């Protein structure tokens, strides 16, 4: 369970790629008894999640399930298919009122052929209309991550699509005597990124906060930075996408006043 969608539903992520681990796979699906034990555990997990829902007249009484099929064991794993179908039937037959949406992401081509019963529910990726980026874990393209962070899920993020071969700028206004803090990520990166402070005064000097550099897909997930100033102006982030693909940009910021 991690975060909420834009309507306030708790979100449950089912990560099938974990079953690439052969020992885990055998311990979970090797025979009918183990599959039954797994299903009991899965339903128990769902029921624990249901207890956290709000069943008041205007409360949120359903959850969203995101099924991540990246690196899911292939079509030869009959035991996993059986367990998956059993679980879906159990959920649809006994708990339909508790699941607001079933979203499938990273769906391999072979999955559709072997799971025709769920094909009407499939989508290739989690669309932003479902879950805000500040609620989505970093491994799924969002900003939410564990540990002590400057921002929380309460700090809303902005999501922008950068077209191929275009440059996009983001501006954060700065008042006198304040520190501006920001987070930015481009899903998959492979773009040039830079940041500078531009003072409002005409006789002021632009300050390079972060020298423009190429950020590769494996370099950083989220870039965090801050700038402290005693004069008004703006922070300008520049993201230069010279690839032939669209890029998703996610960012947020906040200003904190300070005294001498």
């Amino acid at each position: 369970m991690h975060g909420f969608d834009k309507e306030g539903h708790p979100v449950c992520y089912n990560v099938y790629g974990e079953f690439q681990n052969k020992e885990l796979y055998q311990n979970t699906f090797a025979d009918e008894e183990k599959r039954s034990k797994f299903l009991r555990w899965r339903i128990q997990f769902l029921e624990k999640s249901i207890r956290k829902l709000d069943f008041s007249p205007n409360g949120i009484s359903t959850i969203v399930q995101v099924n991540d099929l990246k690196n899911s064991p292939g079509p030869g794993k009959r035991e996993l298919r059986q367990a998956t179908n059993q679980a879906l039937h159990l959920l649809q037959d006994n708990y339909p009122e508790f699941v607001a949406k079933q979203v499938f992401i990273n769906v391999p081509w072979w999955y559709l052929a072997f799971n025709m019963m769920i094909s009407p529910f499939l989508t290739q990726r989690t669309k932003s209309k479902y879950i805000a980026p500040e609620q989505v874990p970093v491994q799924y393209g969002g900003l939410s991550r564990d540990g002590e962070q400057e921002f929380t899920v309460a700090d809303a993020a902005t999501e922008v699509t950068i077209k191929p071969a275009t440059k996009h700028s983001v501006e954060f206004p700065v008042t006198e005597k304040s520190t501006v803090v920001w987070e930015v990520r481009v899903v998959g990166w492979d773009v040039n990124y830079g940041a500078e402070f531009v003072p409002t005064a005409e006789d002021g000097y632009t300050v390079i906060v972060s020298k423009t550099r190429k950020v590769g897909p494996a370099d950083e997930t989220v870039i965090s930075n801050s700038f402290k100033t005693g004069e008004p102006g703006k922070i300008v982030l520049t993201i230069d996408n010279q690839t032939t693909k669209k890029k998703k940009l996610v960012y947020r910021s906040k200003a904190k006043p300070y005294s001498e």
Side-chain angles (χ1 to χ4, degrees):
M1 300 297 296
H2 190 112
F4 302 84
D5 75 352
K6 290 186 176 180
E7 296 175 351
H9 301 98
V11 182
C12 175
Y13 291 84
N14 301 307
V15 187
Y16 286 76
E18 296 296 322
F19 293 121
Q20 275 200 322
N21 182 309
K22 292 182 180 180
E23 183 179 356
L24 176 62
Y25 186 93
Q26 287 298 316
N27 290 339
T28 310
F29 303 119
D31 54 47
E32 186 62 38
E33 182 181 353
K34 290 178 179 177
R35 287 196 295 274
S36 178
K37 184 178 179 180
F38 168 75
L39 289 171
R40 287 197 301 272
W41 171 84
R42 183 63 188 85
I43 296 301
Q44 184 183 49
F45 182 86
L46 174 64
E47 291 183 342
K48 286 181 179 178
S49 303
I50 290 171
R51 293 191 197 114
K52 299 176 182 178
L53 297 174
D54 180 1
F55 292 99
S56 62
N58 296 317
I60 300 296
S61 58
T62 53
I63 68 173
V64 168
Q65 293 210 104
V66 177
N67 301 281
D68 181 8
L69 300 176
K70 184 177 182 179
N71 297 324
S72 175
K77 300 295 184 180
R78 181 175 56 87
E79 301 86 0
L80 177 58
R81 294 206 314 276
Q82 287 179 337
T84 300
N85 286 332
Q86 284 179 287
L88 282 167
H89 279 302
L90 281 170
L91 293 173
Q92 291 170 359
D93 293 344
N94 300 288
Y95 300 89
E97 68 273 28
F98 295 122
V99 180
K101 296 186 188 81
Q102 286 271 14
V103 182
F104 290 78
I105 62 174
N106 298 317
V107 180
W109 64 269
W110 53 261
Y111 198 85
L112 298 174
F114 285 92
N115 297 274
M116 294 305 293
M117 61 162 279
I118 65 168
S119 59
F121 305 105
L122 293 178
T123 180
Q124 287 297 320
R125 62 187 67 200
T126 308
K127 299 295 184 182
S128 59
K129 65 181 180 181
Y130 292 137
I131 309 172
E134 64 269 17
Q135 296 278 355
V136 177
V138 289
Q139 62 266 39
Y140 293 114
L143 293 173
S144 181
R145 53 202 191 281
D146 297 329
E148 193 71 24
Q149 307 292 339
E150 182 70 46
F151 294 89
T152 69
V153 291
D155 297 308
T158 299
E159 191 172 331
V160 175
T161 298
I162 304 177
K163 294 180 180 179
T166 58
K167 188 180 292 187
H168 184 83
S169 295
V170 176
E171 297 184 359
F172 305 136
V174 181
T175 58
E176 288 189 66
K177 293 183 179 180
S178 66
T179 299
V180 178
V181 185
W182 65 90
E183 285 185 334
V184 59
R185 80 169 298 183
V186 175
V187 179
W189 286 103
D190 196 22
V191 299
N192 292 315
Y193 164 80
E196 60 185 13
F197 169 71
V198 180
T200 301
E202 291 184 5
D203 58 349
Y205 293 95
T206 296
V207 179
I208 303 300
V209 179
S210 180
K211 187 177 180 180
T212 299
R213 61 188 175 93
K214 180 68 173 288
V215 184
D219 292 345
E220 298 174 69
T221 304
V222 178
I223 291 178
S224 302
N225 214 330
S226 65
F227 183 75
K228 183 178 180 180
T229 181
E231 61 177 323
K234 59 185 178 182
I235 298 291
V236 180
L237 310 183
T238 303
I239 296 91
D240 188 4
N241 175 24
Q242 291 303 309
T243 71
T244 58
K245 298 179 180 179
K246 292 188 295 184
K247 296 285 185 178
K248 185 175 81 170
L249 165 66
V250 181
Y251 64 90
R252 55 185 169 180
S253 70
K254 58 185 174 182
K256 302 188 292 185
Y258 73 89
S259 56
E260 297 294 346

